[in-house]
Amino acid sequence: MTLKKWNYLFWTTLLIGTIAGMITSVIIKLAVPDFDFLGISVGWYEWIFMLFGASMIAVLSEMGFFAYLTVRFVAMSLFRGKLLYWDILQVIIIIVALFDIVYLRYTGAADNGNGWVQYIVLPIVILLVSIAVAHRKVKETNRKARIPTLFFMCVVTIMEAIPAFNLNEASYTIIMVVPLLACNAWQIMLLHRLLPANNNPEKMSKA
């Protein structure tokens, strides 16, 4: 990964996240007229905070991406020759993460009179987007890239979105999850294009 490639990854991800975040914020404002971002309703100041917030979400996504690459490198070293175990562990963590954002958000809600059904929409959306990205990743690399891509798109996105989950507000959750999914999808799909074939994790490990 050269400095030029890293700069390209950083700035394009920042741009995508900022645009996705602003578009999502505008839609939320139109759909929920009384919604005020961070409680700020003073004219154009609110839009500045929205822009800043969208950019910070993109940066958070980039931090999560490099943290994932570090964890993946360590895991592949530990499970060298036994990558099947690492794949099984990733699947287990995916299931636990998807279950947790249903169970923990439901049990942590102040008013859960509407039942738990409303809390399964988000994990379903995240899973469907992750499956679509993983399918594309497999087509461009190899079939062993499916589970790592699902892991990154599901687990890392969920971990990055924890601040929004803690607020337990649908508007903030949407504003944060949408740009995170966009940024994470962009980064994982760009990775194999930026790295040389002999230095590409998907090529080296067939994963």
Side-chain angles (χ1 to χ4, degrees):
M1 176 73 76
T2 64
L3 183 60
K4 180 179 179 180
K5 291 179 179 179
W6 185 87
N7 278 328
Y8 178 77
L9 176 64
F10 177 86
W11 291 111
T12 54
T13 303
L14 181 63
L15 179 62
I16 289 172
T18 302
I19 292 175
M22 288 302 296
I23 292 175
T24 305
S25 298
V26 170
I27 294 174
I28 292 294
K29 287 289 290 183
L30 293 175
V32 187
D34 59 344
F35 173 77
D36 296 322
F37 187 75
L38 299 179
I40 301 170
S41 56
V42 187
W44 56 272
Y45 286 105
E46 182 181 3
W47 296 100
I48 292 179
F49 277 92
M50 283 185 178
L51 180 65
F52 180 76
S55 300
M56 289 301 98
I57 291 173
V59 172
L60 175 64
S61 171
E62 294 177 298
M63 293 171 61
F65 180 62
F66 285 101
Y68 161 76
L69 293 179
T70 302
V71 171
R72 177 163 171 74
F73 177 79
V74 172
M76 290 177 63
S77 299
L78 293 175
F79 290 92
R80 187 175 299 277
K82 300 179 181 178
L83 291 180
L84 177 61
Y85 297 151
W86 171 232
D87 285 345
I88 293 174
L89 180 59
Q90 288 181 97
V91 172
I92 294 173
I93 296 175
I94 290 170
I95 295 172
V96 170
L98 291 172
F99 172 77
D100 277 353
I101 62 171
V102 177
Y103 179 75
L104 295 180
R105 290 170 67 230
Y106 171 67
T107 56
D111 179 16
N112 52 21
N114 294 328
W116 56 270
V117 176
Q118 61 179 320
Y119 294 101
I120 69 173
V121 175
L122 179 63
I124 289 176
V125 170
I126 292 176
L127 180 60
L128 290 177
V129 173
S130 301
I131 290 174
V133 174
H135 178 70
R136 183 65 183 178
K137 183 77 171 181
V138 167
K139 290 184 66 175
E140 295 191 11
T141 56
N142 58 75
R143 62 185 180 83
K144 292 296 183 68
R146 188 182 309 277
I147 293 178
T149 304
L150 282 173
F151 179 85
F152 174 70
M153 291 298 301
C154 287
V155 178
V156 177
T157 299
I158 290 171
M159 293 181 65
E160 292 167 343
I162 286 177
F165 297 153
N166 289 337
L167 294 174
N168 201 32
E169 289 282 346
S171 298
Y172 286 113
T173 300
I174 294 172
I175 287 174
M176 191 163 195
V177 170
V178 170
L180 282 176
L181 286 173
C183 289
N184 288 342
W186 170 254
Q187 290 177 107
I188 199 68
M189 292 303 302
L190 193 63
L191 179 62
H192 62 274
R193 298 188 179 100
L194 294 180
L195 295 181
N198 62 346
N199 203 26
N200 191 330
E202 280 78 15
K203 297 292 185 181
M204 292 172 61
S205 64
K206 300 299 182 182

